[in-house]
């Protein structure tokens, strides 16, 4: 089994910062891309940022220059540093990862975390 667990969400004032973490555990051989999504009430789940196994990153236009995605491969963990937060960033944030569970198969499976709430409000 593989499990992704997010942490670091909470309530923050506009202009503040938060750092989210997402740790993968279980039967893991390697992890390819890791991503952060977010979903506001009544909205679809949208991609926020992605990082490949080689460290290449990409961001949604709405968070460029404010959010930074990074990963620690030794810890099977992906991070999302969120600065200059605005009320529109309020959402449940989810991570996912493409994980290979053994060395003899190139097939990876996508796993999701349970989500962590981020609320930006004064």
């Amino acid at each position: 089994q593989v499990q992704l667990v997010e942490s670091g969400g909470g309530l923050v004032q506009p202009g503040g910062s938060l750092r989210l973490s997402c740790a993968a555990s279980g039967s893991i051989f390697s992890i390819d891309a890791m991503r952060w999504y977010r979903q506001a009430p009544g909205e679809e789940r949208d991609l926020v940022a992605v990082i490949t196994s080689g460290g290449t990153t990409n961001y949604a236009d709405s968070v460029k220059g404010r959010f930074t995605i990074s990963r620690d491969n030794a810890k099977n963990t992906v991070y999302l540093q969120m600065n200059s937060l605005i009320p529109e960033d309020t959402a449940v944030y989810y991570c996912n990862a493409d994980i290979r569970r053994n060395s003899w198969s190139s097939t990876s499976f996508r796993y999701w975390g349970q989500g962590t709430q981020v609320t930006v409000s004064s």
Side-chain angles (χ1 to χ4, degrees):
Q1 288 290 351
V2 173
Q3 190 175 19
L4 272 63
V5 178
E6 297 108 332
S7 61
L11 173 65
V12 63
Q13 292 186 341
S17 299
L18 281 175
R19 189 193 194 206
L20 306 183
S21 300
C22 171
S25 62
S27 179
I28 297 171
F29 173 72
S30 65
I31 302 178
D32 298 325
M34 304 183 82
R35 306 170 188 85
W36 286 99
Y37 283 75
R38 67 185 181 186
Q39 187 169 21
E43 303 289 332
E44 294 185 351
R45 190 173 297 187
D46 294 324
L47 179 64
V48 174
V50 58
I51 184 167
T52 68
S53 58
T56 300
T57 60
N58 202 2
Y59 298 91
D61 288 342
S62 60
V63 306
K64 281 181 180 177
R66 301 189 298 122
F67 290 10
T68 302
I69 188 171
S70 61
R71 62 191 286 172
D72 184 333
N73 291 328
K75 296 181 178 180
N76 290 335
T77 299
V78 62
Y79 304 96
L80 186 68
Q81 178 66 44
M82 304 185 295
N83 299 329
S84 303
L85 284 160
I86 59 178
E88 290 74 17
D89 294 320
T90 296
V92 178
Y93 284 70
Y94 299 88
C95 66
N96 78 24
D98 297 335
I99 295 175
R100 293 175 58 192
R101 298 186 60 183
N102 48 63
S103 61
W104 57 86
S105 173
S106 61
T107 301
S108 62
F109 297 91
R110 187 161 297 176
Y111 295 87
W112 288 85
Q114 82 287 351
T116 185
Q117 177 71 46
V118 171
T119 303
V120 184
S121 175
S122 55

